[in-house]
Amino acid sequence: NADNIIAFVREPLSRFYSQYDEAYVRTAPWQNTQNPYYIDPNNPQQTTVHPFPFLYENLRSYQDYENVFCPPSTRRNPNNRRECVFRQSKEDGTLAKRLDRFVQEYDGRNPYDVHLILQVPKLLSKKSDGTLINITELYNTTNAEHDWKLIAKKYIGQHAEFTKNKKKGGVIEGRSYPRRFDKSLVSKETERRICLLALLDYCCLNFPLPSSCEEEAKELTCTMDYDDERGAVRVQPSVFPDVARVNAS
């Protein structure tokens, strides 16, 4: 129905972790598909340098990366990589520390990968005629299975039965593999910085701040003002992240 556009949104901190994981792999120097930062071993004259090259220090392939979050010494069979796909990360903090540094140096203004774009700007995308997409219903991915059942009954009828997608990576299942960094090793300072980076999503989508950001709750607000150039009211974060807040340690 052209008059009803449904969208699902996600808690911003949890989504940022997924965004980062996805962008990490898609822009890795060994990823040769639709990646401007791919390093071709047969063509060392690379023209586009990754904005955060330290993320891949001493990693030359996906296997190198896999050996960090799934060390051979922790596998039942050191030569079997299949068990690494769905197991929890066994990294030693290397990947978590790189995430910490990335979050501190990333200002969020110019996402270098589409997966790093916030939800609100995506929801405000324009149609081909230049008009904004009018989203009529907004749901939370946390309750996706329940909400899809309600949607099915609303638009198809009370007789509608919503069948859960059993396949790996289905919409209802969400993320189909664990995080590659150990989230328990991510610092609270990093989580607070993520709240700042994702502040627009927290404000506009009315998500409560996570407990790690509650101390800064008074500072982490948004304001409304008038954009004279565009002739429209806009919502802006009350605080903008600084650029490159930390140096390499």
Side-chain angles (χ1 to χ4, degrees), residues 6 137 139 145-163:
I6 298 169
E137 297 178 50
Y139 296 90
E145 183 177 355
H146 172 266
D147 290 341
W148 272 119
K149 290 179 180 178
L150 294 179
I151 292 168
K153 292 183 181 299
K154 178 178 180 179
Y155 291 100
I156 300 175
Q158 292 299 313
H159 64 282
E161 292 292 332
F162 188 84
T163 303

Side-chain angles (χ1 to χ4, degrees), residues 15-248:
R15 182 176 181 268
F16 187 93
Y17 287 145
S18 293
Q19 291 172 274
Y20 172 82
D21 257 352
E22 195 70 25
Y24 188 101
V25 173
R26 289 179 179 270
T27 64
W30 57 80
Q31 176 57 257
N32 62 3
T33 304
Q34 297 181 330
N35 177 18
Y37 310 111
Y38 168 61
I39 298 178
D40 185 350
N42 299 315
N43 181 22
Q45 301 298 320
Q46 185 189 15
T47 57
T48 305
V49 178
H50 196 285
F52 301 94
F54 63 83
L55 293 174
Y56 307 99
E57 186 176 346
N58 298 323
L59 302 178
R60 299 290 179 267
S61 66
Y62 184 83
Q63 287 70 34
D64 288 345
Y65 174 48
E66 191 173 58
N67 287 342
V68 177
F69 67 77
C70 182
S73 61
T74 66
R75 305 173 198 166
R76 290 187 295 272
N77 178 352
N79 298 316
N80 182 8
R81 294 184 177 276
R82 285 191 174 184
E83 64 182 90
C84 296
V85 177
F86 297 110
R87 65 176 287 183
Q88 294 297 319
S89 175
K90 298 292 184 180
E91 67 121 340
D92 61 1
T94 297
L95 299 179
K97 287 180 181 177
R98 293 183 185 186
L99 168 63
D100 285 339
R101 180 179 169 186
F102 168 77
V103 169
Q104 296 301 328
E105 295 191 9
Y106 179 58
D107 67 6
R109 291 179 174 87
N110 298 293
Y112 62 90
D113 181 78
V114 65
H115 294 89
L116 294 173
I117 298 175
L118 295 178
Q119 296 172 96
V120 169
K122 295 289 286 184
L123 293 172
L124 293 176
S125 298
K126 293 183 178 181
K127 294 183 287 187
S128 57
D129 63 0
T131 59
L132 292 174
I133 297 175
N134 182 28
I135 297 173
T136 53
E137 297 178 50
L138 205 59
Y139 296 90
N140 189 333
T141 56
T142 303
N143 305 312
E145 183 177 355
H146 172 266
D147 290 341
W148 272 119
K149 290 179 180 178
L150 294 179
I151 292 168
K153 292 183 181 299
K154 178 178 180 179
Y155 291 100
I156 300 175
Q158 292 299 313
H159 64 282
E161 292 292 332
F162 188 84
T163 303
K164 189 174 180 180
N165 187 352
K166 299 292 184 180
K167 294 183 179 180
K168 180 176 64 176
V171 173
I172 302 304
E173 293 292 347
R175 187 178 180 81
S176 59
Y177 54 87
R179 306 206 184 286
R180 298 320 191 190
F181 60 89
D182 186 340
K183 195 174 75 168
S184 69
L185 300 178
V186 175
S187 72
K188 293 303 179 184
E189 182 183 1
T190 292
E191 289 195 349
R192 289 192 287 269
R193 170 79 172 177
I194 293 173
C195 288
L196 181 58
L197 291 167
L199 189 53
L200 193 63
D201 278 355
Y202 275 112
C203 290
C204 294
L205 301 178
N206 202 30
F207 279 102
L209 290 170
S211 58
S212 55
C213 299
E214 288 179 349
E215 291 182 9
E216 288 79 15
K218 292 183 178 180
E219 297 179 10
L220 297 178
T221 59
C222 293
T223 59
M224 295 182 66
D225 64 11
Y226 191 78
D227 186 346
D228 292 321
E229 184 176 335
R230 297 178 58 191
V233 174
R234 63 185 177 184
V235 177
Q236 290 201 93
S238 58
V239 183
F240 286 92
D242 297 328
V243 178
R245 290 181 51 186
V246 297
N247 296 318

